[in-house]
Amino acid sequence: MFVIDTSDRELMRAQFRSFSKHIPLLYIILVINTAAIVITSFRLEHYEKTLIVPAIISSFALARAVWWSRQKNADHLSDEQISAYLRRTCVLAAVQSLTFTLWAIWVYQGLDAFGRSNVTFFLALSQVSTVFCLMTLRVAANLVALVSTVSFALYFSWIDDAQLLPQAIVLCCVCLGMTVIIQGYNHSFTELVSSRRSLHQRQIETEKLSHENRRIAFTDALTGLPNRRELLERLDLLEHKQDVADDSLAVVFIDLDGFKEINDEHGHQSGDQLISSVAQRLRQQCPKGARIARVGGDELAVLIEVDDPGKSANAQAITLASVLLKEASLPITIDRHVLQVGASIGVAANNSDAIAPRELLRRADMAMYHAKTSGKGQVALYSEGLDEGRLHRLEIEAQIVNGLAREEFEIEYQPIVGATSRHITGVEALLRWPQRPEGPLPPDQFIEIAESTGQIHPIGLYVLTKACCDLKGIEGVTLSVNVSPAQFRHPNFEQQVLKILEQTGFPPERLQLEITESYLLSNPERAFQAVAALKAQGIALALDDFGTGFTSIHYLQSYGFNHIKIDKSLTSDLAQQHKARRLVEGAIIMASALDIDVTAEGVENAQQADILEHVGCQCLQGYYFGRPMALTKLHHVIRQQDRSLRPAGKRAAG
Ligand code: C2E
Ligand code: CA
Ligand code: CA
């Protein structure tokens, strides 16, 4: 009851704050009561009693009131200072209360009954109000109650032969009651402070949690970079910003080339590691003020914000794009494999009229798409024309989905003849889309789109299945089917091919798959494995479009191709250009040394056919021998050929 608890600093400060507000009021009440007693006792003409002592008490009270009214803010006070003030307040409260009570008793003695009752009233009043004002500082309130009650009660029980004893007892009871109230009030006050404290604590924890949630929601878990959501939020924020200057914002959109292949061949774990490493490397290349975010599987975007009006965001973005392009294509070692990807990068800036920041992201994405579809490994800048190209591709993409569902695709077969015999020894299956509602579309214009969307897988399986069924009955004729690099990369490709052969009953020795060299160069390990597995089943492999790439003898040899197909661009130049002729001759010599047969594509006239036959080409293919044709026509052509081949006697007999 009489000890100040300074262990709970927060409680101590709360006490200080609370009663520092009430103390000036307390002193003012004290001064008023003093004045009231002075007025009551002034006619005694005892100046020490009625003027000097009350003047001292009042001056001290006023001085304290002024001091306390300046202590409203306890924030600048240390805990030690506060605890010292609290102690001092307790001592002063006791001393002052005692002084006031003794003075009142002194005055009381010289007064008549009316004066005495006035003094008692004012004394009790000031005692009660003092106790209530000090209620938050329990010790001070208790001391005041005790000191003033005890001294007055003692005095009452001593004077006038203890006639005033009942009053003294009542006074003590009131004091006891007040003490109980003080205890209760203090208890509630302590609880209030501690519940406020725990509320505050909980608030801090909630804030921390929501901060953490936000961090997780806006961070990409794999790379630790900001994610798409965070980038979009930043772009939206910029959208609401006033006066975004022209050419102050730019987005660089990066999509990794060849990532899908690595994922397919080395597994997702390696893919993840690769993304993570590339992302870190690219981040290190980003200058200050550029934020990089992972916006998709293998897509990253950098937002460049330029504050300096003299600098161009577009120029910065272009410079950064070429740095990132180089950085992305450096080899990376993952699980002892040296892996390499590339990047297709798009750049867009708000260099002309007000462009919404989110639109910048779309534009940069569009430009990236353009970079990707026009050869990969390059940087493309956004221009309005790109939107149309993208739209066209999106339309075709949707049409392919419908086309597959409605069986709009068909296959035509182009004869391949022996160079010397000029008889059909094989056919190449070529995909057609005659029933497309918008009009037929040549394969050159949709195969590549189907490759980029993955639609080439169902298309490829359709072609192979249909062609095997169609050609099964035409014995002695080999079937060549084109296979896209994307199909070849599929981890189950070999199994899928074998399954189709089994289902259709087509003999593997009569099947030849044609593949372009681009895939072999970019994925030597996986290609090697696939070629070996297919060859083991008796399926022949042909290298398509030979002469347009860089295939080396080493490649031809190590993959064990059965065939190379000389590209039609070389064939068409044969008659006019010596160079083309020498190239074809060289290829044939090289191929025959490796025991590889050569087919020339695009033979359109007798002159080309003769030259090719002369230089040692084994097979010929081209409009001169037959355009790609429907199956029924192929049946007809082969029947005619068979008839012309039959010996004269047999023909007559037949
Ligand atoms: P490719 O494999 O080089 O096919 C040969 C292309 O040359 C065919 O074009 C054929 O019609 C054309 N051609 C044949 N002889 C001559 C000739 O004497 N002169 C000229 N100028 N051209 C000739 P097509 O059918 O338009 O096919 C284009 C490309 O589309 C093919 O090139 C092939 O890469 C791809 N393709 C066609 N069908 C399929 C398929 O089922 N799957 C895959 N993955 N690709 C296919
Ligand atoms: Ca081909
Ligand atoms: Ca070809």
Side-chain angles (χ1 to χ4, degrees):
M1 278 177 71
F2 298 102
V3 178
I4 299 174
D5 180 11
T6 52
S7 62
D8 188 339
R9 288 151 180 250
E10 210 172 313
L11 178 66
M12 196 172 75
R13 279 181 182 270
Q15 282 173 330
F16 186 86
R17 244 179 271 124
S18 165
F19 83 79
S20 63
K21 270 186 244 148
H22 302 141
I23 283 204
L25 183 70
L26 177 157
Y27 282 115
I28 287 163
I29 293 171
L30 192 72
V31 171
I32 291 169
N33 280 317
T34 311
I37 294 177
V38 167
I39 291 165
T40 304
S41 58
F42 205 67
R43 58 198 157 80
L44 291 179
E45 293 186 1
H46 186 312
Y47 294 113
E48 283 92 17
K49 224 187 249 185
T50 58
L51 217 62
I52 297 173
V53 175
I56 293 170
I57 291 176
S58 298
S59 320
F60 183 75
L62 284 173
R64 294 290 296 160
V66 170
W67 188 86
W68 274 106
S69 62
R70 288 183 181 164
Q71 305 303 318
K72 282 195 184 97
N73 190 359
D75 295 347
H76 66 284
L77 299 175
S78 69
D79 290 336
E80 288 67 31
Q81 276 175 311
I82 288 179
S83 106
Y85 287 156
L86 293 184
R87 282 209 185 84
R88 196 193 304 163
T89 302
C90 291
V91 173
L92 283 178
V95 170
Q96 214 164 353
S97 173
L98 187 67
T99 316
F100 186 75
T101 310
L102 292 179
W103 170 65
I105 291 171
W106 191 24
V107 173
Y108 183 93
Q109 286 169 348
L111 289 174
D112 56 13
F114 177 70
R116 285 184 168 194
S117 70
N118 270 356
V119 169
T120 314
F121 173 74
F122 294 129
L123 181 68
L125 203 67
S126 50
Q127 181 198 4
V128 171
S129 50
T130 307
V131 167
F132 279 107
C133 285
L134 288 172
M135 218 139 89
T136 35
L137 187 59
R138 190 185 52 188
V139 177
N142 284 341
L143 279 172
V144 169
L146 188 82
V147 165
S148 54
T149 310
V150 168
S151 46
F152 213 66
L154 281 177
Y155 178 68
F156 271 14
S157 41
W158 172 66
I159 59 157
D160 298 339
D161 300 329
Q163 277 180 33
L164 292 172
L165 192 63
Q167 281 89 332
I169 293 171
V170 169
L171 204 67
C172 288
C173 289
V174 170
C175 169
L176 204 71
M178 279 197 307
T179 316
V180 171
I181 293 172
I182 292 165
Q183 301 312 313
Y185 176 81
N186 254 268
H187 188 69
S188 310
F189 186 81
T190 312
E191 266 184 358
L192 189 79
V193 170
S194 85
S195 76
R196 212 169 50 189
R197 177 170 33 207
S198 65
L199 204 75
H200 184 63
Q201 197 72 33
R202 227 172 299 153
Q203 199 179 340
I204 291 174
E205 272 161 25
T206 315
E207 261 168 33
K208 237 197 240 164
L209 210 72
S210 80
H211 187 76
E212 180 63 12
N213 280 347
R214 204 190 126 84
R215 198 189 61 75
I216 293 171
F218 285 85
T219 307
D220 171 55
L222 178 65
T223 57
L225 294 183
N227 59 15
R228 186 185 194 89
R229 201 179 294 148
E230 142 93 58
L231 184 72
L232 290 179
E233 202 186 67
R234 181 67 201 160
L235 291 172
D236 287 346
L237 212 78
L238 289 169
E239 187 150 7
H240 295 121
K241 206 172 121 182
Q242 301 285 311
D243 329 314
V244 174
D246 278 0
D247 205 6
S248 63
L249 295 178
V251 174
V252 178
F253 201 105
I254 307 131
D255 186 288
L256 300 186
D257 298 333
F259 172 71
K260 213 165 146 276
E261 291 81 328
I262 289 183
N263 229 2
D264 287 347
E265 288 164 31
H266 296 267
H268 289 281
Q269 219 173 341
S270 300
D272 282 357
Q273 280 182 41
L274 181 88
I275 289 273
S276 191
S277 315
V278 174
Q280 297 317 327
R281 285 205 321 213
L282 297 192
R283 183 187 11 211
Q284 279 161 13
Q285 297 302 321
C286 288
K288 244 175 114 185
R291 322 165 162 242
I292 184 165
R294 182 179 177 211
V295 291
D298 60 348
E299 293 170 348
L300 301 155
V302 184
L303 170 65
I304 295 174
E305 294 173 48
V306 174
D307 293 332
D308 185 348
K311 286 186 178 159
S312 152
N314 193 36
Q316 276 197 21
I318 294 171
T319 312
L320 179 65
S322 57
V323 171
L324 297 182
L325 188 73
K326 262 192 217 141
E327 189 70 31
S329 52
L330 296 176
I332 294 181
T333 309
I334 286 165
D335 290 341
R336 283 177 282 120
H337 289 285
V338 178
L339 303 178
Q340 191 166 14
V341 286
S344 295
I345 301 184
V347 173
N350 67 338
N351 38 13
S352 59
D353 45 59
I355 300 163
R358 258 197 200 226
E359 167 67 7
L360 278 184
L361 185 66
R362 190 194 70 80
R363 289 186 173 191
D365 184 5
M366 179 78 60
M368 177 284 291
Y369 189 74
H370 180 67
K372 181 137 294 200
T373 50
S374 44
K376 303 183 178 175
Q378 52 189 309
V379 176
L381 309 184
Y382 172 83
S383 71
E384 270 161 27
L386 296 186
D387 281 326
E388 284 164 33
R390 175 75 178 255
L391 244 122
H392 177 69
R393 288 181 75 97
L394 285 175
E395 273 169 21
I396 291 180
E397 210 181 302
Q399 289 166 7
I400 293 175
V401 175
N402 291 333
L404 276 169
R406 296 187 204 139
E407 297 183 9
E408 291 169 4
F409 293 96
E410 282 177 15
I411 299 169
E412 286 189 345
Y413 299 94
Q414 186 175 31
I416 299 170
V417 302
T420 328
S421 70
R422 306 286 165 102
H423 294 145
I424 298 174
T425 54
V427 290
E428 177 175 357
L430 292 159
L431 187 61
R432 296 291 176 261
W433 193 358
Q435 291 172 54
R436 176 173 170 262
E438 296 77 10
L441 199 68
D444 284 339
Q445 289 182 35
F446 68 84
I447 290 281
E448 187 244 306
I449 296 175
E451 278 178 347
S452 66
T453 59
Q455 289 165 317
I456 194 67
H457 294 290
I459 292 179
L461 296 182
Y462 163 79
V463 173
L464 187 61
T465 314
K466 181 84 172 38
C468 285
C469 288
D470 286 353
L471 267 280
K472 194 183 155 189
I474 310 179
E475 279 169 27
V477 173
T478 57
L479 166 65
S480 277
V481 176
N482 292 289
V483 174
S484 285
Q487 281 173 274
F488 218 67
R489 278 194 299 263
H490 194 285
N492 287 338
F493 177 66
E494 297 96 289
Q495 284 99 305
Q496 283 171 340
V497 172
L498 297 179
K499 199 169 153 202
I500 290 171
L501 290 179
E502 201 183 295
Q503 282 168 348
T504 57
F506 193 85
E509 319 76 58
R510 274 175 57 202
L511 179 63
Q512 173 165 276
L513 299 179
E514 296 187 6
I515 176 166
T516 51
E517 59 193 321
S518 62
Y519 179 61
L520 305 177
L521 293 170
S522 61
N523 299 273
E525 280 178 42
R526 161 79 186 129
F528 201 83
Q529 179 195 345
V531 167
L534 292 166
K535 284 198 61 155
Q537 299 298 320
I539 297 166
L541 263 297
L543 182 65
D544 208 355
D545 299 343
F546 183 83
T548 55
F550 324 89
T551 320
S552 67
I553 302 177
H554 168 72
Y555 259 88
L556 285 175
Q557 198 174 20
S558 53
Y559 283 106
F561 279 104
N562 308 83
H563 239 103
I564 54 175
K565 294 188 76 173
I566 291 183
D567 191 65
K568 50 184 178 286
S569 58
L570 277 182
T571 307
S572 65
D573 293 343
L574 265 184
Q576 293 82 28
Q577 292 187 11
H578 269 293
K579 210 173 131 197
R581 190 176 168 150
R582 279 208 304 276
L583 235 139
V584 174
E585 276 174 343
I588 291 168
I589 292 166
M590 180 178 77
S592 72
L594 298 170
D595 212 13
I596 295 174
D597 285 347
V598 177
T599 299
E601 281 183 335
V603 183
E604 292 184 345
N605 53 50
Q607 195 191 4
Q608 289 168 345
D610 293 342
I611 296 171
L612 288 161
E613 184 191 351
H614 183 74
V615 295
C617 201
Q618 281 85 4
C619 299
L620 307 174
Q621 179 186 356
Y623 293 167
Y624 181 61
F625 301 103
R627 288 187 176 249
M629 56 188 83
L631 180 69
T632 44
K633 182 150 184 225
L634 180 72
H635 274 297
H636 178 73
V637 169
I638 289 178
R639 259 201 308 274
Q640 266 192 336
Q641 176 180 286
D642 284 352
R643 221 171 281 149
S644 69
L645 281 176
R646 248 179 257 159
K650 262 194 178 178
R651 220 180 295 163

